[in-house]
Amino acid sequence: MSAADPEPLPVPPLEAIRTELRRTNFSGRTVTLAEGALVVAGTSVLSLRTGRATDTAVLAGIGALGLLDDLLEPHMRRAGRPVSKGLRGHLGALRRGRLTTGALKAAGIPLLALAGAAASPAPRGGAMVLADAALTAGCANLANLLDLRPGRALKVILPAAALLAAPAGAGSARAATRTHLGRAALLPALVALPPDLREHGMLGDAGANVLGAAVGTAAARSTAPPARLGMLALVVALNLASETVSFSTVIERTPVLRALDRLGRRPLPAPRPGPTHGGTR
């Protein structure tokens, strides 16, 4: 830069943060990941009502890992570094000696879930502790897999969270914990639904992961072992199926699911001539 050239104006910190959080979604509209970050904060704060700091730490940690993935992946793309997708892709990159943010999540979320399950006061054997941790981690990942269209993940999370948030019976500590965790997912999800459907914001990995984890943990704390194992089997099956089957394709080919998926969403913008720029959702 010569002496005659004007110095570039500094970018205000708030505007720099807004720019960092902007994304282009599947329809080409600009959305913000601030929605997901606020969902993480809201879910974590509301989980304090369980009276167990471990629950809050686990949910906040899972949200932080998701936010890290949300923020670092675009930098990797701009730097020309390969970005892995899916559990198989992240584990494959790890075998080649390359640690991805997705692999960090794939390891970190189960470890956090295991810490939360082990610290739960409910009397259980080691096998059920592992099952509860797997349910929390599996639900966190499944919610993220569904977050490919506006409102899709929230339409699954909201009914489950509402069921879990039902008032607990008097004197039942486990039921009270289930209620508080259900509400910790329900209230932020309700607030996030309008901007998500309007395509002003998106959950991203951070918001989807933390809401799924809260629902999974609430279910693990309150259901009988047979029902819990049944839910776990379903969640694991769906996670594994996502490696070979496109949820979006299945939904579009099923009239009832397609109608529910599009309910409340904005119509797609008219196609414009020239190259298109697809987003992640």
Side-chain angles (χ1 to χ4, degrees):
M1 181 184 296
S2 66
D5 292 332
E7 293 186 6
L9 295 174
V11 179
L14 184 58
E15 183 57 36
I17 293 172
R18 287 175 179 166
T19 300
E20 195 70 23
L21 293 174
R22 286 190 193 116
R23 294 293 182 272
T24 301
N25 73 354
F26 83 108
S27 64
R29 294 184 174 114
T30 299
V31 297
T32 177
L33 288 168
E35 176 190 313
L38 291 173
V39 164
V40 172
T43 303
S44 301
V45 169
L46 288 170
S47 71
L48 288 169
R49 293 199 64 193
T50 65
R52 299 193 59 77
T54 306
D55 292 331
T56 301
V58 167
L59 292 176
I62 288 173
L65 286 173
L67 189 59
L68 182 68
D69 195 24
D70 285 333
L71 295 177
L72 291 185
E73 185 177 298
H75 288 279
M76 294 172 64
R77 291 183 188 278
R78 289 196 291 269
R81 296 174 60 185
V83 176
S84 302
K85 287 294 182 183
L87 183 61
R88 185 184 302 172
H90 293 305
L91 293 179
L94 199 59
R95 283 195 298 270
R96 294 190 294 273
R98 184 166 57 85
L99 179 63
T100 65
T101 52
L104 189 61
K105 273 203 327 172
I109 289 178
L111 288 175
L112 286 168
L114 183 60
S120 171
R124 294 160 300 164
M128 287 310 299
V129 168
L130 291 175
D132 288 354
L135 184 58
T136 295
C139 286
N141 192 58
L142 183 58
N144 190 35
L145 293 172
L146 291 169
D147 188 41
L148 294 177
R149 293 294 184 271
R152 180 181 292 174
L154 290 168
K155 288 173 185 175
V156 175
I157 289 165
L158 280 168
L163 185 63
L164 292 162
S172 172
R174 291 178 63 189
T177 298
R178 178 260 297 164
T179 298
H180 292 319
L181 286 172
R183 291 173 182 173
L186 177 64
L187 297 178
L190 281 171
V191 173
L193 185 61
D196 208 85
L197 288 173
R198 292 172 192 157
E199 298 182 51
H200 295 161
M202 64 184 294
L203 290 174
D205 286 19
N209 282 156
V210 77
L211 289 176
V215 166
T217 303
R221 295 286 176 83
S222 60
T223 53
R228 215 179 310 169
L229 293 174
M231 286 188 287
L232 176 60
L234 177 61
V235 168
V236 169
L238 290 171
N239 274 282
L240 292 176
S242 72
E243 296 293 320
T244 55
V245 177
S246 167
F247 288 170
S248 292
T249 299
V250 172
I251 289 169
E252 284 299 312
R253 289 178 178 174
T254 310
V256 173
L257 294 179
R258 183 173 65 245
L260 289 172
D261 192 49
R262 295 182 181 182
L263 184 65
R265 277 170 43 187
R266 295 172 64 183
L268 290 173
R272 285 186 275 180
T276 58
H277 301 280
T280 58
R281 195 193 81 172

